[in-house]
Amino acid sequence: FNQNAKDEGRRIALMSSKGSNSLYQTDFMASDILLFGSESAGVPDHVHSASDLRIRIPMQPGFRSLNVAVSAGIALSEALRQTGQLPLEIMP
């Protein structure tokens, strides 16, 4: 998977509570692959180190993590907004 992504010139953006980059300080590209680990264990160290971006969603002090579905929605929304793929308004 990782090699195929690299061959296609795509970045793997790992969403992790241990990420070094804030979601809102990350510049997404339309070709990025968003990767999420399991809620209980995250991802193995080798997956963490092989990722091109390690991104965290900023939270209030004292909060440990978010539900993976909530995290996915937040991250996908921000990536789509930045890359111009999020509709600005919903038509009835």
Side-chain angles (χ1 to χ4, degrees):
F1 174 80
N2 190 31
Q3 188 58 52
N4 188 52
K6 302 271 187 251
D7 291 347
E8 293 178 358
R10 300 175 75 177
R11 301 184 305 178
I12 297 176
L14 174 65
M15 299 302 301
S16 170
S17 60
K18 300 174 187 171
S20 54
N21 301 326
S22 165
L23 174 67
Y24 303 109
Q25 295 174 334
T26 299
D27 292 323
F28 287 98
M29 298 187 307
S31 60
D32 286 344
I33 298 168
L34 300 182
L35 180 64
F36 299 82
S38 76
E39 288 183 29
S40 59
V43 297
D45 289 339
H46 73 277
V47 173
H48 198 274
S49 62
S51 299
D52 300 297
L53 303 168
R54 291 167 235 19
I55 304 166
R56 73 184 182 319
I57 297 172
M59 293 185 291
Q60 292 290 333
F63 286 92
R64 190 176 64 84
S65 64
L66 296 169
N67 171 283
V68 72
V70 171
S71 297
I74 293 169
L76 181 59
S77 176
E78 177 61 13
L80 291 174
R81 184 193 66 78
Q82 283 189 27
T83 58
Q85 299 177 67
L86 185 66
L88 297 178
E89 59 183 71
I90 306 294
M91 300 301 284

